[in-house]
Amino acid sequence: MEVQKNNKNKEKTPARKDLLRAIPQVDEVLHWFSRETAPLFLIKQSIREELEALRQDILAGKKVGKLDLGKKKLLDRIGARLQAKQGPNFKRVINATGVVIHTNLGRSILPDSAGKALVEAGTRYSNLEFDLATGKRGSRYSLVEQLLCDLTGAEAALVVNNNAAAVLLVLDTLARDREVIVSRGQLVEIGGSFRVPDVMAKSGARLVEVGATNRTHLKDYEAAITDATALLLKVHASNFKMVGFTKEVAAEELVQLAARYKLLVMEDLGSGCLLDMSAYGIRREPTVQETVRAGVDVVTFSGDKLLGGPQAGLIVGKRDIIECIKKNQLNRALRIDKFTLAALESVLRLYYDHETVVSRIPTLAMLAASPRVMEQRARRLARKVIKLLAGRCAVAVRTVGSRVGGGALPEEDIESRCVELAPLDRTVNELERSLRLNQVPVIGRIEDDRYLLDMRTVLDDEVPLIATVLARVFGVDL
Ligand SMILES: *Cc1c(COP(=O)(O)O)cnc(C)c1O
């Protein structure tokens, strides 16, 4: 039987060399396209790529028939390539992962008000470096410095491209060729290859590790102090958690120790929250204000993690130190652009109003959203698709745990609701793929052979859009 079957197949499948010969010439295919649809070079590129892909498939013995080389099929496939090339590479996606500060999906999303400020900064002239009061040259940092001081209680502030740059710049300014003492429990690696020891090496500061992995005492820091010591550095263990027999030294104690030896204290807070979110069931993190109040000389944190603003590295601290950092030549290379400034100012201003800030900053609003709100959103989506997908996919609402993300509060689940999809006509991996390849990609997650759309990170106006996408993917007419 087996042999016969193979023979039969052989008769049906045209010989490899016949197929190769049947691949049309680029110029021939070019005539099938109207020149107006796309730039000529893109049409040619798409044709070449498709014909080459077919050639490779044939050579590899993949299933290619005469039909695949016909005008209709070829036009379809080359058309799809052309369309993909003409669409944007960088596009909006729907985040249904439940990870609020999702590093791969753009971390924090901005409030609409910040979006407006961003567009205006880009499409109109501005006072970026022009002091309107004096008519003279101004400093771009002055546009946000006072806000940062008001919100954190610091004497001075500076903003650079991201927190990694902030740490590098501070170390380069304060500790180049000198020693920096860090607890072994805080030599963290953040995603995207930020490692405390490596950044330290780049800055030219010498790392002095103290303590044990799980426990570091004040006396460990003290014993390591020499004439070459410049800084005591504390790093927030953002993305991991130590449990059990552990000990860290509080910022206040480090500050007292440093004062005795005339040293400086720096803290890299990582996420840098300005707000205690424990009222919303999110574990308390040290806020920037508390760290400043503890007397830490210079504090660095990200703009696009818990702060909920644009990508930026914020540096706040004592005035004389910040002035020194501002003068570092490296600062010029790490400076922020006008888009960041516009968005950052806009977001920081929202923090002035304690009553409304959580509802206005998407990152905070998503973290604060109650299970009841998640439930309503999930039910709304489920109602829309349950009948549409009947017979094709089972739909249910389920309780899940969302994550903060962005290296903040690891191991911490926030109770959420998801719409759970169990496709009947395809595998869950196929469903994942078609949602991901949709024009507006929908990104959820797979758990126990089910596809989950976590409602925590889905915006209300995205619910009908997801329903439409699901109908399309399952081939249902709306
Ligand atoms: C996230 C993080 C960084 C890096 O910040 P970016 O803004 O991503 O450059 C540095 N240190 C800590 C502790 C962090 O959590």
Side-chain angles (χ1 to χ4, degrees):
M1 273 300 268
E2 212 39 48
V3 175
Q4 255 179 4
K5 217 175 171 183
N6 274 343
N7 278 342
K8 229 168 146 191
N9 271 349
K10 230 176 207 156
E11 277 164 20
K12 266 200 190 157
T13 316
R16 199 173 284 190
K17 67 175 193 302
D18 290 339
L19 277 171
L20 287 173
R21 223 177 283 133
I23 297 178
Q25 299 293 312
V26 173
D27 282 340
E28 186 186 342
V29 179
L30 194 56
H31 286 301
W32 303 343
F33 284 87
S34 118
R35 294 290 162 85
E36 285 87 61
T37 52
L40 183 60
F41 85 95
L42 273 189
I43 302 180
K44 281 190 178 163
Q45 201 179 65
S46 307
I47 296 172
R48 278 204 200 94
E49 282 174 13
E50 184 57 36
L51 298 183
E52 182 54 28
L54 278 169
R55 192 187 320 277
Q56 293 304 329
D57 282 353
I58 294 168
L59 288 173
K62 294 209 185 117
K63 232 180 107 194
V64 178
K66 283 267 191 226
L67 261 183
D68 294 312
L69 302 174
K71 182 170 173 178
K72 188 176 171 314
K73 275 259 167 105
L74 276 177
L75 266 177
D76 274 358
R77 293 164 62 146
I78 296 166
R81 275 182 194 270
L82 202 49
Q83 206 175 15
K85 282 182 198 292
Q86 285 182 289
N89 293 329
F90 188 40
K91 50 178 144 185
R92 174 250 179 110
V93 310
I94 292 178
N95 176 7
T97 62
V99 181
V100 178
I101 306 170
H102 198 303
T103 304
N104 304 137
L105 302 183
R107 279 207 189 159
S108 279
I109 58 170
L110 294 172
D112 287 339
S113 54
K116 266 198 210 115
L118 232 158
V119 169
E120 189 159 274
T123 58
R124 299 291 184 267
Y125 288 106
S126 60
N127 61 338
L128 179 65
E129 289 191 348
F130 183 66
D131 185 338
L132 291 170
T134 62
K136 300 221 166 73
R137 188 192 166 124
S139 146
R140 63 180 65 206
Y141 305 111
S142 67
L143 300 171
V144 289
E145 183 163 11
Q146 190 58 49
L147 276 108
L148 279 167
C149 293
D150 289 349
L151 292 170
T152 64
E155 293 173 6
L158 174 65
V159 186
V160 291
N161 232 319
N162 51 41
N163 190 29
V167 174
L168 178 69
L169 180 63
V170 175
L171 290 175
D172 184 271
T173 311
L174 304 179
R176 164 162 291 280
D177 298 325
R178 316 239 344 246
E179 290 176 358
V180 177
I181 304 176
V182 191
S183 157
R184 288 202 168 85
Q186 297 174 355
L187 295 175
V188 300
E189 172 177 318
I190 318 290
S193 70
F194 174 97
R195 272 181 167 183
V196 172
D198 298 351
V199 173
M200 182 102 51
K202 266 277 175 256
S203 75
R206 287 198 302 277
L207 169 67
V208 177
E209 305 173 25
V210 294
T213 306
N214 56 334
R215 285 173 75 86
T216 304
H217 305 272
L218 192 63
K219 63 177 193 286
D220 295 326
Y221 285 91
E222 184 158 18
I225 293 174
T226 69
D227 288 344
T229 308
L231 264 186
L232 308 183
L233 169 63
K234 194 165 155 67
V235 182
H236 189 250
S238 307
N239 53 359
F240 77 106
K241 193 171 165 180
M242 283 203 293
V243 293
F245 189 53
T246 65
K247 167 147 175 60
E248 266 193 348
V249 177
E252 287 86 351
E253 292 177 85
L254 284 185
V255 168
Q256 281 171 12
L257 177 66
R260 271 198 275 134
Y261 289 89
K262 298 208 168 10
L263 300 172
L264 298 175
V265 179
M266 165 183 179
E267 180 153 2
D268 173 15
L269 270 181
S271 239
C273 58
L274 293 176
L275 213 63
D276 171 14
M277 294 284 285
S278 56
Y280 301 94
I282 311 287
R283 185 163 55 83
R284 239 185 147 296
E285 285 275 279
T287 63
V288 180
Q289 300 89 301
E290 286 163 1
T291 310
V292 168
R293 215 179 305 132
V296 172
D297 296 285
V298 52
V299 184
T300 67
F301 54 103
S302 287
D304 56 348
K305 289 186 182 169
L306 281 174
L307 187 83
Q311 178 192 306
L314 288 76
I315 308 172
V316 303
K318 305 267 167 70
R319 180 173 316 281
D320 50 340
I321 294 169
I322 299 290
E323 288 311 318
C324 253
I325 298 169
K326 280 182 185 167
K327 290 196 193 100
N328 188 334
Q329 273 302 308
L330 193 55
N331 183 24
R332 176 62 179 77
L334 305 175
R335 79 175 186 189
I336 48 170
D337 63 20
K338 55 187 177 183
F339 304 110
T340 304
L341 261 171
L344 183 62
E345 178 180 7
S346 179
V347 170
L348 289 176
R349 284 196 184 281
L350 296 176
Y351 277 93
Y352 277 111
D353 189 342
H354 290 289
E355 303 286 313
T356 56
V357 59
V358 172
S359 63
R360 287 198 177 151
I361 294 182
T363 296
L364 301 181
M366 285 178 192
L367 290 173
S370 67
R372 194 177 52 85
V373 170
M374 301 294 94
E375 175 93 19
Q376 282 167 351
R377 197 174 290 155
R379 295 218 168 276
R380 224 179 110 217
L381 177 57
R383 257 201 314 277
K384 280 182 192 296
V385 298
I386 219 157
K387 276 215 191 85
L388 271 178
L389 305 185
R392 294 177 161 93
C393 181
V395 179
V397 171
R398 209 185 87 186
T399 299
V400 281
S402 318
R403 285 286 160 94
V404 176
L409 304 175
E411 304 303 312
E412 197 107 336
D413 270 344
I414 327 171
E415 184 186 332
S416 181
R417 297 288 183 279
C418 73
V419 171
E420 177 191 87
L421 302 173
L424 307 170
D425 61 350
R426 67 196 73 193
T427 68
V428 72
N429 287 306
E430 282 163 351
L431 175 60
E432 183 276 331
R433 183 183 141 83
S434 37
L435 288 172
R436 173 162 46 81
L437 295 180
N438 188 57
Q439 199 169 8
V440 178
V442 177
I443 315 293
R445 65 178 194 267
I446 295 175
E447 245 179 57
D448 299 331
D449 211 32
R450 298 278 194 275
Y451 190 77
L452 309 187
L453 297 161
D454 189 326
M455 293 296 112
R456 183 165 297 278
T457 44
V458 170
L459 306 177
D460 271 325
D461 63 6
E462 289 175 333
V463 169
L465 188 54
I466 296 177
T468 312
V469 173
L470 283 172
R472 255 256 308 288
V473 161
F474 279 98
V476 184
D477 290 330
L478 277 175

